[in-house]
PDB file of all heavy atoms in Angstrom:
ATOM      1  N   ALA L 190     -43.071  59.283 -80.504  1.00 94.00           N
ATOM      2  CA  ALA L 190     -42.478  60.031 -79.377  1.00 94.00           C
ATOM      3  C   ALA L 190     -43.272  59.609 -78.289  1.00 94.00           C
ATOM      4  O   ALA L 190     -42.707  59.195 -77.110  1.00 94.00           O
ATOM      5  CB  ALA L 190     -42.330  61.483 -79.504  1.00 94.00           C
ATOM      6  N   ARG L 191     -44.611  59.708 -78.146  1.00 95.00           N
ATOM      7  CA  ARG L 191     -45.456  59.499 -77.117  1.00 95.00           C
ATOM      8  C   ARG L 191     -45.385  58.044 -76.538  1.00 95.00           C
ATOM      9  O   ARG L 191     -45.236  57.716 -75.371  1.00 95.00           O
ATOM     10  CB  ARG L 191     -46.911  59.823 -77.481  1.00 95.00           C
ATOM     11  CG  ARG L 191     -47.878  59.577 -76.231  1.00 95.00           C
ATOM     12  CD  ARG L 191     -49.032  60.695 -76.392  1.00 95.00           C
ATOM     13  NE  ARG L 191     -49.794  60.343 -75.118  1.00 95.00           N
ATOM     14  CZ  ARG L 191     -50.593  61.294 -74.730  1.00 95.00           C
ATOM     15  NH1 ARG L 191     -50.780  62.435 -75.274  1.00 95.00           N
ATOM     16  NH2 ARG L 191     -51.401  61.091 -73.598  1.00 95.00           N
ATOM     17  N   VAL L 192     -45.378  57.075 -77.523  1.00 96.00           N
ATOM     18  CA  VAL L 192     -45.527  55.659 -77.183  1.00 96.00           C
ATOM     19  C   VAL L 192     -44.258  55.330 -76.470  1.00 96.00           C
ATOM     20  O   VAL L 192     -44.226  54.693 -75.398  1.00 96.00           O
ATOM     21  CB  VAL L 192     -45.796  54.682 -78.193  1.00 96.00           C
ATOM     22  CG1 VAL L 192     -45.394  53.426 -77.957  1.00 96.00           C
ATOM     23  CG2 VAL L 192     -47.199  54.919 -78.862  1.00 96.00           C
ATOM     24  N   PHE L 193     -43.016  55.773 -77.004  1.00 95.00           N
ATOM     25  CA  PHE L 193     -41.763  55.254 -76.359  1.00 95.00           C
ATOM     26  C   PHE L 193     -41.584  56.111 -75.192  1.00 95.00           C
ATOM     27  O   PHE L 193     -40.925  55.485 -74.160  1.00 95.00           O
ATOM     28  CB  PHE L 193     -40.695  55.300 -77.419  1.00 95.00           C
ATOM     29  CG  PHE L 193     -40.688  54.421 -78.462  1.00 95.00           C
ATOM     30  CD1 PHE L 193     -41.028  54.661 -79.760  1.00 95.00           C
ATOM     31  CD2 PHE L 193     -40.580  53.041 -78.221  1.00 95.00           C
ATOM     32  CE1 PHE L 193     -41.092  53.734 -80.778  1.00 95.00           C
ATOM     33  CE2 PHE L 193     -40.761  51.981 -79.150  1.00 95.00           C
ATOM     34  CZ  PHE L 193     -40.855  52.347 -80.429  1.00 95.00           C
ATOM     35  N   GLU L 194     -42.062  57.255 -75.052  1.00 94.00           N
ATOM     36  CA  GLU L 194     -41.920  57.953 -73.719  1.00 94.00           C
ATOM     37  C   GLU L 194     -42.743  57.100 -72.590  1.00 94.00           C
ATOM     38  O   GLU L 194     -42.165  56.945 -71.523  1.00 94.00           O
ATOM     39  CB  GLU L 194     -42.364  59.376 -73.832  1.00 94.00           C
ATOM     40  CG  GLU L 194     -42.166  60.172 -72.624  1.00 94.00           C
ATOM     41  CD  GLU L 194     -42.993  61.437 -72.614  1.00 94.00           C
ATOM     42  OE1 GLU L 194     -43.280  62.000 -73.704  1.00 94.00           O
ATOM     43  OE2 GLU L 194     -43.286  61.957 -71.557  1.00 94.00           O
ATOM     44  N   GLN L 195     -44.012  56.777 -72.987  1.00 95.00           N
ATOM     45  CA  GLN L 195     -44.829  56.066 -72.003  1.00 95.00           C
ATOM     46  C   GLN L 195     -44.070  54.662 -71.551  1.00 95.00           C
ATOM     47  O   GLN L 195     -44.273  54.321 -70.421  1.00 95.00           O
ATOM     48  CB  GLN L 195     -46.229  55.800 -72.533  1.00 95.00           C
ATOM     49  CG  GLN L 195     -46.866  57.150 -72.531  1.00 95.00           C
ATOM     50  CD  GLN L 195     -48.395  57.016 -72.639  1.00 95.00           C
ATOM     51  OE1 GLN L 195     -48.851  55.843 -72.804  1.00 95.00           O
ATOM     52  NE2 GLN L 195     -49.161  58.118 -72.626  1.00 95.00           N
ATOM     53  N   LEU L 196     -43.515  54.107 -72.537  1.00 94.00           N
ATOM     54  CA  LEU L 196     -42.874  52.839 -72.215  1.00 94.00           C
ATOM     55  C   LEU L 196     -41.449  53.028 -71.462  1.00 94.00           C
ATOM     56  O   LEU L 196     -40.966  52.046 -70.893  1.00 94.00           O
ATOM     57  CB  LEU L 196     -42.732  51.951 -73.528  1.00 94.00           C
ATOM     58  CG  LEU L 196     -43.990  51.559 -74.296  1.00 94.00           C
ATOM     59  CD1 LEU L 196     -43.602  50.882 -75.622  1.00 94.00           C
ATOM     60  CD2 LEU L 196     -44.755  50.632 -73.441  1.00 94.00           C
ATOM     61  N   GLY L 197     -40.993  54.133 -71.490  1.00 93.00           N
ATOM     62  CA  GLY L 197     -39.761  54.459 -70.855  1.00 93.00           C
ATOM     63  C   GLY L 197     -38.435  54.124 -71.723  1.00 93.00           C
ATOM     64  O   GLY L 197     -37.429  54.004 -71.084  1.00 93.00           O
ATOM     65  N   ILE L 198     -38.709  53.961 -73.053  1.00 93.00           N
ATOM     66  CA  ILE L 198     -37.597  53.584 -73.823  1.00 93.00           C
ATOM     67  C   ILE L 198     -37.010  54.818 -74.510  1.00 93.00           C
ATOM     68  O   ILE L 198     -37.765  55.727 -75.065  1.00 93.00           O
ATOM     69  CB  ILE L 198     -38.021  52.677 -74.938  1.00 93.00           C
ATOM     70  CG1 ILE L 198     -38.589  51.431 -74.392  1.00 93.00           C
ATOM     71  CG2 ILE L 198     -36.751  52.352 -75.822  1.00 93.00           C
ATOM     72  CD1 ILE L 198     -39.150  50.388 -75.597  1.00 93.00           C
ATOM     73  N   ASP L 199     -35.699  55.063 -74.274  1.00 92.00           N
ATOM     74  CA  ASP L 199     -35.049  56.120 -74.925  1.00 92.00           C
ATOM     75  C   ASP L 199     -34.685  55.881 -76.357  1.00 92.00           C
ATOM     76  O   ASP L 199     -33.888  54.878 -76.675  1.00 92.00           O
ATOM     77  CB  ASP L 199     -33.771  56.472 -74.046  1.00 92.00           C
ATOM     78  CG  ASP L 199     -33.107  57.849 -74.392  1.00 92.00           C
ATOM     79  OD1 ASP L 199     -33.848  58.597 -74.983  1.00 92.00           O
ATOM     80  OD2 ASP L 199     -31.874  57.980 -74.101  1.00 92.00           O
TER      81      ASP L 199
END
Side-chain angles (χ1 to χ4, degrees):
Chain L
R191 176 154 188 158
V192 166
F193 287 115
E194 187 198 329
Q195 290 199 352
L196 293 176
I198 303 176
D199 193 14

